[in-house]
Amino acid sequence: MSSENKQETGSAFLEFVLQKLEKRVEEVSLSLEEGQKEIQGMHEYYWENYTEMDQYGYEDYDNQQALFHQVNANQQQLLLKQRFTKMMDSPFFGRVDFVYEGDEEPETFYIGIGNFSERTGQTPLIYDWRAPVSGLFYDYDKGPARYEAPVGELTGEITSKWQYKIRGGNMVYEFESDVKIDDEILAAELGSSGEVQLKNIIRTIQKEQNAIIRNTKDRILVIQGAAGSGKTSVALHRIAYLLYHDRKNLKSSDILILSPNSVFSDYISHILPELGEENIREMSFDLFAYKELQDVAADCEDRYDQIEKNLKFPFLADFLKEKETAEFTDKIEGFLLELEDSLMNFRDVEHRGFVKTEKEIISLFYFKFGEIPLLSRMDAVAEYFIDEVETLRNRDMEEEEKEAVKEKFRGMYETGDVYVLYNRFLSEEGFSTLPKVPAEKRKLPYEDVYPVLYFKYRLLNRQAKGNVKHLIVDEMQDYSRLQYKILQMLFPCRMTILGDRAQTMEDRIQDVTTFLPEIFGREIRTIYMNKSYRNTVEIASYANRLAGIQDMDLFERHGKPVKELEFDSLREAAEKIAEEVKEEEGKYETEAVILSDEKSASLFTSLLKEMLGENVFYLHRDSRKFEKGLTVTTFYLAKGLEFDCVCSWQQEIPKGLEFDRVFSVFPKEEKSALFRQGRYITATRALHELHSYFIN
């Protein structure tokens, strides 16, 4: 906005822009009504005249195209109306006054959730937070500044910066700020409760976060972020920025999130729509693997099955992890190399007088089609033979005849069953084999899921997921080297990979940044986010002591000290939690009791429902929705989510039950490092209060 038209105060500008928004909403509403009348008229014309339209269908085609364009235009107008209506609640949150180099008077830029101008093509009254000029608000204080515009780099000086909070079209506060994002504002935003889902952070984006969000150069961006550093929010805002920045080449449907659990989709579902974009596809990698292996085994264990197994039998952890190592993958490659010869029984093939000799087949198999995966290669040889026969006979074969020929060639494989071949590999390498049962009765243990998937992709033609142009991998520390090799094979696209090595779901910390360059090459850029914004200083300090973390930068937001209590039974602990919830009913909308394992969580849910009624939500592996109220779950399902108030408990189970120790009273006495990880993850879920309960 030019200096001669700018409003002197945010309140005055708010009144001005609300009038303009209201007018635009009225105009768009009228346009929608007229468009709907046009659509109705086209429908009526078609049904009244379709029997008399020309025989070649030209008129019908023209009518359908016109209808399509009008429907599309109406859809665009509807989206515009929705955006303008949403903006009326809070049109802007920031302002920058910027004097361009060579000018004397500043230009005023108001910044909001989206662009807004009185007419299409006019200078915006409000700039989208993703617009190039909006970077001034996030990256600079008063003084010299610059930003990258489509015409090149523009330099100048920021003469003032303002911050606003607007709700329901009313100004809550406005003030001029000399700092990047005022700490008091950030503290207020972080300290507010009542949200059941992840918040958008456009009002409080920090300089280091903004650099990640606006990064368009790096093909693979790895974000190693401390718990509570905002890495998931930053990743989602980065996607919103990329969609804005590259609208011609990137759509929401081109993006896939690999998430930690099924409820994560609901947890983040509103973020992109709030930022003016459509929701994107999301699924867990385990679900992806399950779908890919349906032709190999009827069922697969998932990550949570393995965690439960490790909790029960910690001595098995090293054995289970052996199949994730580079050495194990090398053994697979050696076996596959030997399989090139040992799997084959070559012989002549004859069809209707046409013969392909064993020698010719061997030559085609190993030389002409040698780059094709082993179990798909004979189909290529068969197709070559079929082409020859069709050419010599001067006619095409029927599909049934083609399939009969292919079966003759496929018969040269000793077996084409990936499960059987994987079992043979396990036997040769001295591992316990999987049950020899029909496909419909097979269930893959989790430690074998990705080795079998790798086996399948190395033996059979695989289709790279070319419809995915940007892949987001969350909780990167929980993926094995082998899983990353599979991702590299399947997704030749840009990636944003994020996680926290301190939250590894294993008995020891895994830093994937040590081997990612080996898999993805030099295209990787790693960014570290060491400042935690989520927890109070008291909670974050407590969590860091559990994990032995010393280098985390904490945002100065203080709260209640962490409460540690001991109880003699689960019921006593449940009674205490029920008492706390009743005493402070209504204070928090999202509270959680986080336990070590599924069995304990289920039992504790029953106890709390007995005491508190039905407003207790059990978040389990099959949950699809993140509910308000008191959530009971396990630490491994809570990872990736956050709650206002968290109560954690640990139990020493008497001898005779299936666990020796789930958690001990003192961390130093704990036998399982995974339980210590669980305590750390649990602590980092709490926004405001943490109660750590121990059951003797």
Side-chain angles (χ1 to χ4, degrees), residues 458-471:
R458 290 285 286 109
L459 287 170
L460 289 159
N461 274 330
R462 65 183 184 278
Q463 293 294 320
K465 308 301 177 181
N467 60 332
V468 176
K469 295 183 180 179
H470 199 111
L471 180 71

Side-chain angles (χ1 to χ4, degrees), residues 4 156 202 255 321-322 347 353 387 540 557 588 648 653 694:
E4 62 184 13
I202 58 169
I255 300 169
K321 284 186 67 66
E322 188 175 352
R347 54 183 175 270
D387 286 344
R557 180 171 69 88
Y588 298 121
S648 69
I653 299 180
F694 301 88

Side-chain angles (χ1 to χ4, degrees), residues 567-570 596-597 600 649-657 659-666 669-671 675 693-696:
F567 299 93
D568 291 326
S569 70
L570 286 181
S596 59
D597 61 276
S600 302
W649 70 270
Q650 298 155 63
Q651 180 184 20
E652 182 176 273
I653 299 180
K655 296 287 185 180
L657 299 183
F659 301 102
D660 291 329
R661 285 183 184 265
V662 176
F663 283 92
S664 64
V665 175
F666 301 102
E669 296 178 2
E670 292 171 350
K671 293 183 178 180
F675 286 123
Y693 295 167
F694 301 88
I695 311 299
N696 295 315

Side-chain angles (χ1 to χ4, degrees), residues 51-143:
T51 57
E52 299 175 10
M53 291 182 180
D54 65 275
Q55 60 177 321
Y56 299 107
Y58 295 131
E59 189 177 356
D60 181 29
Y61 176 79
D62 290 343
N63 189 70
Q64 292 296 324
Q65 286 295 106
L67 179 62
F68 171 78
H69 288 305
Q70 187 59 56
V71 169
N72 189 57
N74 259 34
Q75 183 63 29
Q76 293 303 312
Q77 289 294 299
L78 181 61
L79 292 173
L80 204 60
K81 181 182 177 180
Q82 290 172 344
R83 179 157 67 86
F84 291 159
T85 303
K86 187 181 293 183
M87 288 184 74
M88 289 180 72
D89 178 69
S90 180
F92 56 90
F93 56 82
R95 166 180 155 180
V96 176
D97 293 345
F98 185 67
V99 182
Y100 286 98
E101 189 175 325
D103 291 350
E104 295 183 358
E105 293 293 321
E107 292 274 347
T108 295
F109 302 99
Y110 282 92
I111 300 159
I113 198 75
N115 282 314
F116 175 69
S117 55
E118 290 191 68
R119 291 285 180 272
T120 303
Q122 291 186 348
T123 301
L125 296 172
I126 299 170
Y127 287 83
D128 191 295
W129 66 277
R130 297 167 290 184
V133 73
S134 300
L136 295 171
F137 178 76
Y138 297 115
D139 291 340
Y140 294 97
D141 304 331
K142 279 186 177 181

Side-chain angles (χ1 to χ4, degrees), residues 83-311:
R83 179 157 67 86
F84 291 159
T85 303
K86 187 181 293 183
M87 288 184 74
M88 289 180 72
D89 178 69
S90 180
F92 56 90
F93 56 82
R95 166 180 155 180
V96 176
D97 293 345
F98 185 67
V99 182
Y100 286 98
E101 189 175 325
D103 291 350
E104 295 183 358
E105 293 293 321
E107 292 274 347
T108 295
F109 302 99
Y110 282 92
I111 300 159
I113 198 75
N115 282 314
F116 175 69
S117 55
E118 290 191 68
R119 291 285 180 272
T120 303
Q122 291 186 348
T123 301
L125 296 172
I126 299 170
Y127 287 83
D128 191 295
W129 66 277
R130 297 167 290 184
V133 73
S134 300
L136 295 171
F137 178 76
Y138 297 115
D139 291 340
Y140 294 97
D141 304 331
K142 279 186 177 181
R146 62 186 65 201
Y147 70 95
E148 197 67 35
V151 296
E153 187 179 76
L154 299 176
T155 60
E157 182 178 354
I158 295 174
T159 58
S160 70
K161 278 178 61 177
W162 289 77
Q163 296 179 65
Y164 310 94
K165 184 171 184 176
I166 302 167
R167 290 292 180 268
N170 297 308
M171 184 68 72
V172 180
Y173 58 67
E174 59 178 312
F175 66 91
E176 190 174 6
S177 174
D178 291 335
V179 298
K180 48 186 174 47
I181 303 293
D182 190 87
D183 280 354
E184 291 183 11
I185 302 303
L186 182 55
E189 291 296 306
L190 296 170
S192 62
S193 60
E195 295 292 331
V196 72
Q197 295 170 308
L198 196 66
K199 301 175 183 178
N200 83 62
I201 59 170
I202 58 169
R203 298 178 66 246
T204 59
I205 292 171
Q206 304 295 285
K207 184 177 180 178
E208 67 274 16
Q209 295 173 331
N210 194 47
I212 298 170
I213 290 169
R214 294 175 182 259
N215 181 305
T216 60
K217 297 179 181 179
D218 296 300
R219 200 179 83 82
I220 298 177
L221 188 64
V222 177
I223 306 170
Q224 182 80 269
S229 60
K231 53 187 176 292
T232 301
S233 291
V234 166
L236 292 172
H237 285 65
R238 167 169 160 77
I239 291 303
Y241 177 78
L242 294 174
L243 287 167
Y244 178 90
H245 178 79
D246 194 17
R247 288 205 178 278
K248 291 182 179 179
N249 302 308
L250 190 66
K251 305 186 295 294
S252 297
S253 57
D254 297 329
I255 300 169
L256 174 66
I257 296 179
L258 291 181
S259 63
N261 54 56
S262 53
V263 80
F264 187 78
S265 178
D266 179 67
Y267 183 61
I268 65 169
S269 60
H270 68 302
I271 289 290
L272 285 170
E274 277 186 8
L275 301 176
E277 304 295 343
E278 296 178 14
N279 263 322
I280 57 183
R281 291 176 290 163
E282 174 273 336
M283 70 186 319
S284 73
F285 199 14
D286 288 350
L287 179 59
F288 175 86
Y290 167 77
K291 290 182 175 180
E292 290 287 288
L293 291 172
Q294 285 290 280
D295 58 344
V296 178
D299 200 4
C300 302
E301 289 184 352
D302 60 20
R303 176 70 168 157
Y304 307 130
D305 290 311
Q306 188 185 51
I307 292 171
E308 291 279 340
K309 197 183 302 181
N310 288 344
L311 290 171

